[in-house]
Amino acid sequence: MTDGPGSSEGAEPTRVDRVGAAGAVLLYTSAAGMCVWGPVLLGFTVFTDASMLVPGILVTVLCLPLGIALWCFASVEREHNRLLDTVGVPAAGEITDLSTWSDGDDSGIAVALRISGPGFTAFDATWKRSPDAGLRVGLRIAVVVDPTRRLYRIETR
């Protein structure tokens, strides 16, 4: 998941979640399933004379764009992970503040980080996550940063 745009020095830093091989397979399989489900229902309607035309159209119209968006999201996350694996700089993120957040559907803690390391100017970022009793102000956590693209990935937990 990304927290902001972030492709130039003045842009917001972008947090990248680690997406391994198993996670990528899950994301791509889910995306492909979403893309295929509606057309399969439509094909089932045509070949069996079942009354699935309206559901097939609705599922196609709703799920196909979501499947394409999920596929694109997975591709971008994988690319960002590859970039961080190849050109990422080890850094440290110090927790400067912990606060609760809620957007109506989801809630948790917002972890304010000060990320610093060799070869780039330190920057502040916010990491929204589920509550964790192990997090406290002043704790330093491992981070990998691509300073040119302002990407970062938290390496612990």
Side-chain angles (χ1 to χ4, degrees):
M1 171 179 157
T2 54
D3 283 344
S7 60
S8 66
E9 190 61 34
E12 283 289 316
T14 302
R15 185 178 60 82
V16 176
D17 288 327
R18 179 173 292 283
V19 178
V25 167
L26 179 65
L27 284 172
Y28 287 127
T29 303
S30 299
M34 292 175 78
C35 290
V36 170
W37 185 242
V40 165
L41 280 177
L42 288 173
F44 182 72
T45 300
V46 169
F47 291 117
T48 64
D49 289 332
S51 59
M52 300 290 284
L53 183 62
V54 173
I57 291 171
L58 287 175
V59 170
T60 300
V61 168
L62 295 174
C63 289
L64 185 63
L66 291 175
I68 292 169
L70 181 59
W71 190 281
C72 292
F73 169 78
S75 296
V76 168
E77 286 293 296
R78 293 288 288 165
E79 178 62 26
H80 286 168
N81 274 285
R82 282 190 289 274
L83 282 168
L84 286 170
D85 289 341
T86 57
V87 300
V89 176
E94 181 178 356
I95 297 176
T96 58
D97 187 38
L98 295 170
S99 58
T100 59
W101 67 274
S102 177
D103 64 3
D105 293 334
D106 203 8
S107 63
I109 59 171
V111 180
L113 295 170
R114 180 73 175 161
I115 299 174
S116 59
F120 66 93
T121 305
F123 61 89
D124 294 321
T126 303
W127 174 28
K128 291 182 179 177
R129 57 160 293 137
S130 59
D132 183 347
L135 297 176
R136 65 187 183 290
V137 174
L139 179 69
R140 295 178 66 84
I141 55 178
V143 178
V144 174
V145 177
D146 177 356
T148 58
R149 292 172 188 86
R150 309 253 315 169
L151 300 173
Y152 70 98
R153 180 178 63 213
I154 297 167
E155 293 294 319
T156 57
R157 306 228 186 252

